[in-house]
Amino acid sequence: MRDSQNLECFRKQLQESLEEIEQYLAKTAESAEAVSPDKGLGRLSRMEAMQDQQLILAARRRKKMQKVEVLSALQRIENGIFGTCIFCGKPIAFERLEVAPEATTCVNCS
């Protein structure tokens, strides 16, 4: 990725993704807390609340992994290795980076 204009677009896209992830994590922090025993009116309501909590926890885990990937991509931009496959060292296709700028591998190595 030598084109500085494209690189700046990817940096902006990644930073926007990072902001969205952080907003999501902040917004769902309370929902991810343990379900209290007095939650709901009956056993079924508490079970539903616990299922909802598990779904939120799973989504938060995915978002945290995505955050790590985005931060890693931003670091690769800073290090000058963004857009290079971590396995074979060949350039990652521009089209692939457009769809997933956090991609670390080319299509052949993925």
Side-chain angles (χ1 to χ4, degrees), residues 18-37:
L18 184 59
E19 288 175 22
E20 289 174 13
I21 292 166
E22 288 175 345
Q23 287 174 1
Y24 175 83
L25 291 173
K27 184 176 75 173
T28 60
E30 188 176 320
S31 301
E33 293 177 2
V35 177
S36 64

Side-chain angles (χ1 to χ4, degrees), residues 19-58:
E19 288 175 22
E20 289 174 13
I21 292 166
E22 288 175 345
Q23 287 174 1
Y24 175 83
L25 291 173
K27 184 176 75 173
T28 60
E30 188 176 320
S31 301
E33 293 177 2
V35 177
S36 64
D38 62 342
K39 181 80 172 188
L41 301 172
R43 189 175 135 233
L44 188 57
S45 296
R46 186 165 194 281
M47 288 175 60
E48 288 173 339
M50 290 171 62
Q51 284 179 329
D52 289 346
Q53 178 207 26
Q54 290 304 310
L55 289 172
I56 290 169
L57 287 172

Side-chain angles (χ1 to χ4, degrees), residues 97-110:
L97 292 172
E98 280 185 310
V99 173
E102 65 276 3
T104 58
T105 58
C106 66
V107 174
N108 292 334
C109 293
S110 62

Side-chain angles (χ1 to χ4, degrees), residues 76-94:
R76 288 193 305 278
I77 289 174
E78 295 302 315
N79 293 342
I81 56 173
F82 180 80
T84 302
C85 178
I86 61 170
F87 293 123
C88 68
K90 293 180 182 174
I92 299 171
F94 181 78

